[in-house]
Amino acid sequence: MLLQLTQVLVAVAALLTLVALGYTLLDRLIDNWLLGLVALVELGVVVQLVRGLVGIADLSEHRATFTAYLVTLPFVLAITTLGAIKDKTRWAMASIAVGAFAVVVMTLRLQQIWDIYA
């Protein structure tokens, strides 16, 4: 795992969480700026996926847990964003906020597993 990419990914996903919560409070719908943040997070997640799959042999333990986090991570935000595009209520933005926060937590957990067992 790339520590610098993890740090940037966590920062951008946390920003996305806060922006989506702001959109929820202001009762705004998804727009291009928010979709750009989602795309940036997804790009980082895909890079982490490729790097993690390449280096998975370096793990001494917890390969299954690491792989599960790694493979499901790209789908979390993508699915919540697709749902938000279809849903036109304020809670669509709340679902993006939850998805982005899940990316933060799962990315930090991936880095933790990598740091301990690789």
Side-chain angles (χ1 to χ4, degrees), residues 23-98:
Y23 275 38
T24 302
L25 294 174
L26 297 173
D27 201 15
R28 292 184 59 189
L29 296 176
I30 195 166
D31 60 8
N32 289 339
W33 193 79
L34 192 76
L35 282 175
L37 276 176
V38 169
L40 193 60
V41 171
E42 282 294 321
L43 178 65
V45 166
V46 169
V47 171
Q48 286 283 55
L49 171 67
V50 171
R51 174 61 181 107
L53 290 176
V54 167
I56 201 163
D58 295 340
L59 289 176
S60 60
E61 295 179 36
H62 295 281
R63 281 190 188 142
T65 303
F66 183 81
T67 304
Y69 277 110
L70 194 64
V71 171
T72 58
L73 190 56
F75 297 103
V76 172
L77 191 56
I79 290 171
T80 56
T81 302
L82 288 175
I85 290 171
K86 289 189 67 114
D87 187 11
K88 301 297 182 199
T89 66
R90 76 181 327 178
W91 299 112
M93 294 300 104
S95 70
I96 289 181
V98 170

